[in-house]
Amino acid sequence: MEYDAIVNKIGGFGKYQKMIIVLLSIAPIFNALTTFAMNFTFGEHEHRCQTPNDLEGNESLHTQIYFDNTSEVVSDHGYNATECSIMINGSETKCNSWVYDQSVFVETIISKFDVVCDKKFYRAHFLMSHYLGLLVGSIFTGFLSDTFGRKPLLGFGIALLLISTAVRPLIPSLDVVTIFEFFNGFGSVIYYIVPYVLATELVGPKHRLLASFCVYFTFCIDFYILLLLAFFIRNWEHLMFTISILIGGYIITLFFISESPRWLLSQGKKKEAIAILQKIAKTNGENINLSSEDITIHKEKNASIFIFMKALMKSKMLCMRLCIVALNWFALSLTYYGISMNVAKFDGNIYVNFGISSTVETVACFFCLLGPDRFGRKVFFCSSMVIGGLTCFCTIFPSLYASESLSWLTITLAMGGKFFTTIAFFFAYLITAELFPTVLRASALGLCSMSGRIGSITSAYIGELDSVFSTQFGKALPLIIFGAVGLVAGLLAAFALPETVKTLLPESIKDAKTLNNNLTHEEEQVQELDSLKETT
């Protein structure tokens, strides 16, 4: 009996699966908590040069920073101080100490290590370190999970997250904090991928979409948890310690989560797998006795990188298809992380902007469930890429021609870009899997995912271009670049990629080449009935 048939027999989505999915759905919360907390721990912290008047103990200037129309701060004793220089007796010099506004943030990484002025671009390096951790984690998580098991990797991931989050506030060196950010990124990607895999392996085929949606939905819910924590805890060190306590509390759930029976069977550990399957059946109220002879497992061998490249070289169509899909993954990650990690740069209140950004992503998550099978995956994916690219690109107009009072228009366009990017991201995995044959599918997904991670790393530096070009156009320049790349990628996909809705998954390279001609399940059944009628 096949594994999926056994899962359906013991309760494809019974009480046991529902309890475990609830526990597994908590894990992605820590992914978002540790990743997007950088909007607050490394947010835009208003500052100015410290003046001699500050050294005399005038604390009023430490809580509120007043800027006049020339972006200067005028002290009580005639010192003119800007963000990076100070005028004393008619002589302007660069400052080496600063005063930070505490009306929004009490303390951030910026204020602790003075990451301002000449060091301001260091924020891009910090983000790059996290994204590099995501990239390395994406490469090795699958291998580690398949080698050592899903549950041990959950334990390893929680250890990485807990240590890297709790230790960072205690470190006196910004470079070492940045190194720990790499391990935080590594741990956070484990805590998204492994729960996703475990959840889909525990349920029957009909409920896998629901299980994956539950994992993704809690990822969206976490934005609101982070918003509440950051609003009431405005010191970055205290925020990190609070998140660490939450991560530590999740260790308890590891005692209730079992190893994946499918993985155990793939490793030849039938005895342990049967014990867990019997436990699931008992919890679900199903009376069934299983033996090792009842279970059949087919081990699929994915193509090596050499076979993968050789197959691509033989087919210009598949090669072109892979390049276009990889470009779309690059554009998606570039735009998604470029907007999500730079909410603090938008005009207005950071907490309001972050709340709007979170709501946009949550609504987009539900919107993904509407009609993709009716209108086609390609239609949903390509239109989302094109519209998302256009909305981001159109920020060039309010930045050049609108007054500062219309800055909300730029924010609205940026949030529109994130809305459509989130929708496209949801379909990216599905479309990639449906475009390539079985022997190349895993390699294609891995390569596209890597392209996406490179996009997120690139977004860290493009997002800081506003500090290089200190104009209204410079403030919108990152969004313009995000939009242009997304627009080009979406148009290429619209013209070159085939529709995959209701088509059979391609098993061979030949099937993938003739994907547009593949019969749907319904069409295949109709032809079979017609042939039966002719023979009778």
Side-chain angles (χ1 to χ4, degrees), residues 120-137:
K120 192 172 184 179
F121 211 73
Y122 195 95
R123 184 178 185 271
H125 304 327
F126 190 83
L127 287 173
M128 185 271 290
S129 179
H130 184 87
Y131 295 145
L132 196 60
L134 293 178
L135 172 61
V136 175

Side-chain angles (χ1 to χ4, degrees), residues 136-150:
V136 175
S138 298
I139 294 172
F140 287 101
T141 296
F143 168 75
L144 293 172
S145 177
D146 291 340
T147 304
F148 301 104
R150 304 354 180 176

Side-chain angles (χ1 to χ4, degrees), residues 240-255:
M240 288 293 98
F241 286 137
T242 303
I243 293 174
S244 300
I245 293 171
L246 295 176
I247 295 172
Y250 188 71
I251 295 175
I252 300 172
T253 63
L254 295 180
F255 295 101

Side-chain angles (χ1 to χ4, degrees), residues 187-202:
S188 66
V189 77
I190 290 175
Y191 254 57
Y192 185 82
I193 293 177
V194 176
Y196 180 90
V197 172
L198 252 177
T200 54
E201 288 182 341
L202 280 173

Side-chain angles (χ1 to χ4, degrees), residues 385-405:
M385 289 293 298
V386 171
I387 298 173
L390 278 174
T391 52
C392 287
F393 186 79
C394 285
T395 56
I396 190 174
F397 299 111
S399 65
L400 290 179
Y401 304 112
S403 62
E404 290 189 9
S405 62

Side-chain angles (χ1 to χ4, degrees), residues 182-398:
F182 168 84
F183 293 108
N184 191 269
F186 196 129
S188 66
V189 77
I190 290 175
Y191 254 57
Y192 185 82
I193 293 177
V194 176
Y196 180 90
V197 172
L198 252 177
T200 54
E201 288 182 341
L202 280 173
V203 300
K206 292 182 180 179
H207 300 96
R208 283 176 190 159
L209 180 61
L210 178 60
S212 61
F213 178 79
C214 290
V215 174
Y216 184 71
F217 179 68
T218 56
F219 181 84
C220 297
I221 292 298
D222 168 68
F223 292 127
Y224 299 102
I225 298 174
L226 175 60
L227 180 61
L228 287 173
L229 290 175
F231 183 80
F232 291 104
I233 306 173
R234 308 216 174 180
N235 183 307
W236 82 278
E237 294 180 346
H238 299 164
L239 180 60
M240 288 293 98
F241 286 137
T242 303
I243 293 174
S244 300
I245 293 171
L246 295 176
I247 295 172
Y250 188 71
I251 295 175
I252 300 172
T253 63
L254 295 180
F255 295 101
F256 301 97
I257 297 174
S258 302
E259 182 56 87
S260 166
R262 183 186 286 270
W263 179 82
L264 290 170
L265 289 168
S266 71
Q267 301 298 306
K269 301 178 179 180
K270 289 190 174 183
K271 186 177 180 181
E272 294 93 328
I274 290 172
I276 295 174
L277 290 170
Q278 293 282 177
K279 178 182 177 182
I280 296 173
K282 183 178 179 181
T283 306
N284 291 343
E286 300 289 342
N287 187 15
I288 182 174
N289 291 317
L290 296 173
S291 63
S292 57
E293 289 77 16
D294 296 329
I295 303 174
T296 303
I297 284 288
H298 296 292
K299 294 185 178 180
E300 293 184 4
K301 187 177 181 181
N302 293 321
S304 67
I305 186 65
F306 302 105
I307 298 175
F308 178 72
M309 295 305 296
K310 186 178 178 180
L312 286 179
M313 293 299 178
K314 289 183 178 180
S315 173
K316 290 182 179 179
M317 179 185 290
L318 286 182
C319 190
M320 179 191 69
R321 191 178 292 173
L322 179 65
C323 290
I324 292 174
V325 174
L327 176 61
N328 275 268
W329 277 73
F330 176 89
L332 283 170
S333 292
L334 181 76
T335 305
Y336 177 81
Y337 285 101
I339 295 176
S340 299
M341 301 301 285
N342 290 287
V343 173
K345 292 179 179 291
F346 294 130
D347 292 332
N349 187 287
I350 181 177
Y351 300 100
V352 173
N353 290 341
F354 191 83
I356 294 171
S357 176
S358 304
T359 303
V360 163
E361 183 157 352
T362 304
V363 173
C365 181
F366 282 103
F367 192 81
C368 292
L369 300 177
L370 302 177
D373 291 333
R374 181 185 302 175
F375 301 105
R377 312 200 202 288
K378 178 182 174 180
V379 173
F380 260 63
F381 178 76
C382 294
S383 60
S384 297
M385 289 293 298
V386 171
I387 298 173
L390 278 174
T391 52
C392 287
F393 186 79
C394 285
T395 56
I396 190 174
F397 299 111

Side-chain angles (χ1 to χ4, degrees), residues 17-74:
Q17 284 95 334
K18 291 174 183 177
M19 290 190 300
I20 297 301
I21 286 175
V22 168
L23 295 178
L24 290 173
S25 297
I26 297 173
I29 289 176
F30 306 122
N31 175 300
L33 272 179
T34 54
T35 298
F36 296 98
M38 279 186 280
N39 280 294
F40 306 101
T41 61
F42 220 127
E44 293 289 302
H45 204 157
E46 294 288 345
H47 61 279
R48 65 162 172 82
C49 291
Q50 190 177 57
T51 68
N53 190 42
D54 299 316
L55 299 175
E56 293 173 4
N58 190 339
E59 297 295 331
S60 63
L61 293 179
H62 287 261
T63 56
Q64 187 78 29
I65 296 181
Y66 297 96
F67 289 90
D68 64 18
N69 293 330
T70 61
S71 298
E72 290 185 341
V73 181
V74 183

